């Protein structure tokens, strides 16, 4: 557990270092963000953006996506990897959005989790970016860095989400997790964290334990 004041200081330093996080996936509608998030599993944002640029020309809405043949969809998204599963999820989600939500992407965690291929992490990204609803996105970076900093001792995404939420002001949940992801990518890598030059080392449990 990290004290509220410490988490505010950590966020302040991360904002100074990296600025406010901008969405890295390209999209124009909530539905398109959902598709991009599904495609981003095990794939870089750059690759996803290249693929969606073409994909959304022919199937940028749930209606058009639902009408697209699964084989065509698979071909269009093949380079993102795991394309069969992703195509199935996107196609079924599009049909569900048309059938049950009048063609509009739902805006609650509960409903988003019903869409095939959308887990808590994806739902938090969608809720945060599109609807401005705060949440803590727990990916591999948040999992690792929040443990090292001392926000949690858990390995379970849902528990990590709760532990981080308990220490960070609610309006900052989304920004916080995005900046932690950036910090994990740039400095606090899995194998060789650059602790000596880390702006958070005086607030880090792992670094303290090393000294
Ligand atoms: S001090 Fe090291 S372990 Fe702690 S956050 Fe910084 S890079 Fe990660």
């Amino acid at each position: 557990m990290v004290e509220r004041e410490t988490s505010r200081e950590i966020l302040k330093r991360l904002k100074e270092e990296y600025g406010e996080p901008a969405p890295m996936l390209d999209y124009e509608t909530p539905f398109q963000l959902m598709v991009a998030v599904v495609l981003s599993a095990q794939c870089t944002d750059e690759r996803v953006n290249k693929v969606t640029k073409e994909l959304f020309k022919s199937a940028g809405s749930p209606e058009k996506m639902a009408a697209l043949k699964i084989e065509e969809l698979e071909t269009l998204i093949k380079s993102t990897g795991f394309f069969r599963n992703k195509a199935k999820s996107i196609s079924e989600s599009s049909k569900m959005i048309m059938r049950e939500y009048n063609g509009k992407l739902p805006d609650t965690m509960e409903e988003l989790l019903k869409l095939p291929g959308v887990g808590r992490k994806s739902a938090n990204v969608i809720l945060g970016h599109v609807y401005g609803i705060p949440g803590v996105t727990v990916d591999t970076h948040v999992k690792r860095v929040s443990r090292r900093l001392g926000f949690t001792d858990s390995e379970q995404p849902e528990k990590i989400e709760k532990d981080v939420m308990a220490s960070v002001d609610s309006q900052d949940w989304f920004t916080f997790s995005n900046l932690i992801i950036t910090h994990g990518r740039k400095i606090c890598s899995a194998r060789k964290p650059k602790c000596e030059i880390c702006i958070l080392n005086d607030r880090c449990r792992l670094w303290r334990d090393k000294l």
Side-chain angles (χ1 to χ4, degrees), residues 77-121:
I77 67 168
K78 193 165 186 175
S79 64
T80 67
F82 302 99
F83 63 95
R84 291 217 163 81
N85 281 343
K86 288 178 181 176
K88 192 163 177 263
S89 296
I90 291 168
S91 183
E92 287 178 6
S93 288
S94 303
K95 287 171 187 160
M96 189 186 271
I97 291 167
M98 291 308 297
R99 195 174 57 238
E100 296 180 25
Y101 300 105
N102 290 323
K104 187 176 176 294
L105 189 73
D107 60 1
T108 66
M109 172 68 81
E110 194 189 354
E111 289 171 313
L112 284 170
L113 289 177
K114 289 181 187 164
L115 299 174
V118 177
R120 288 189 74 81
K121 185 181 112 187

Side-chain angles (χ1 to χ4, degrees), residues 145 148-149 183 187-188 193-195 198 200-201 204 206-207:
V145 181
R148 287 175 174 175
L149 286 168
H183 192 62
I187 301 290
C188 191
K194 298 173 187 149
C195 299
C198 175
L200 305 178
N201 60 15
C204 177
L206 184 73
W207 180 244

Side-chain angles (χ1 to χ4, degrees), residues 134-137 164-166 168-178:
V136 172
T137 308
V164 174
M165 283 172 164
V168 177
D169 294 320
S170 59
Q171 73 272 17
D172 295 325
W173 288 342
F174 185 66
T175 302
F176 183 85
S177 45
N178 271 274

Side-chain angles (χ1 to χ4, degrees), residues 5-148:
E5 280 313 310
T6 304
S7 79
R8 285 181 185 145
E9 177 60 26
I10 288 172
L11 181 62
K12 182 170 160 277
R13 291 186 197 179
L14 290 171
K15 276 187 184 169
E16 283 167 4
E17 186 73 7
Y18 304 118
E20 292 282 345
M24 291 171 201
L25 293 168
D26 296 338
Y27 65 95
E28 287 182 1
T29 65
F31 169 75
Q32 290 184 359
L33 177 61
M34 185 217 76
V35 172
V37 169
V38 170
L39 292 176
S40 70
Q42 307 289 318
C43 184
T44 63
D45 290 349
E46 290 76 18
R47 165 65 55 193
V48 172
N49 288 338
K50 269 189 194 161
V51 166
T52 53
K53 196 173 172 194
E54 290 307 309
L55 175 64
F56 294 155
K57 281 182 190 167
S58 54
S61 67
E63 190 178 8
K64 287 182 178 165
M65 190 69 81
L68 197 65
K69 282 192 179 140
I70 195 88
E71 296 79 15
E72 283 179 62
L73 180 53
E74 284 177 357
T75 303
L76 283 164
I77 67 168
K78 193 165 186 175
S79 64
T80 67
F82 302 99
F83 63 95
R84 291 217 163 81
N85 281 343
K86 288 178 181 176
K88 192 163 177 263
S89 296
I90 291 168
S91 183
E92 287 178 6
S93 288
S94 303
K95 287 171 187 160
M96 189 186 271
I97 291 167
M98 291 308 297
R99 195 174 57 238
E100 296 180 25
Y101 300 105
N102 290 323
K104 187 176 176 294
L105 189 73
D107 60 1
T108 66
M109 172 68 81
E110 194 189 354
E111 289 171 313
L112 284 170
L113 289 177
K114 289 181 187 164
L115 299 174
V118 177
R120 288 189 74 81
K121 185 181 112 187
S122 306
N124 269 324
V125 171
I126 295 164
L127 291 171
H129 274 305
V130 178
Y131 298 117
I133 298 169
V136 172
T137 308
V138 179
D139 74 345
T140 181
H141 301 291
V142 173
K143 197 172 167 182
R144 179 180 70 256
V145 181
S146 60
R147 276 174 58 87
R148 287 175 174 175

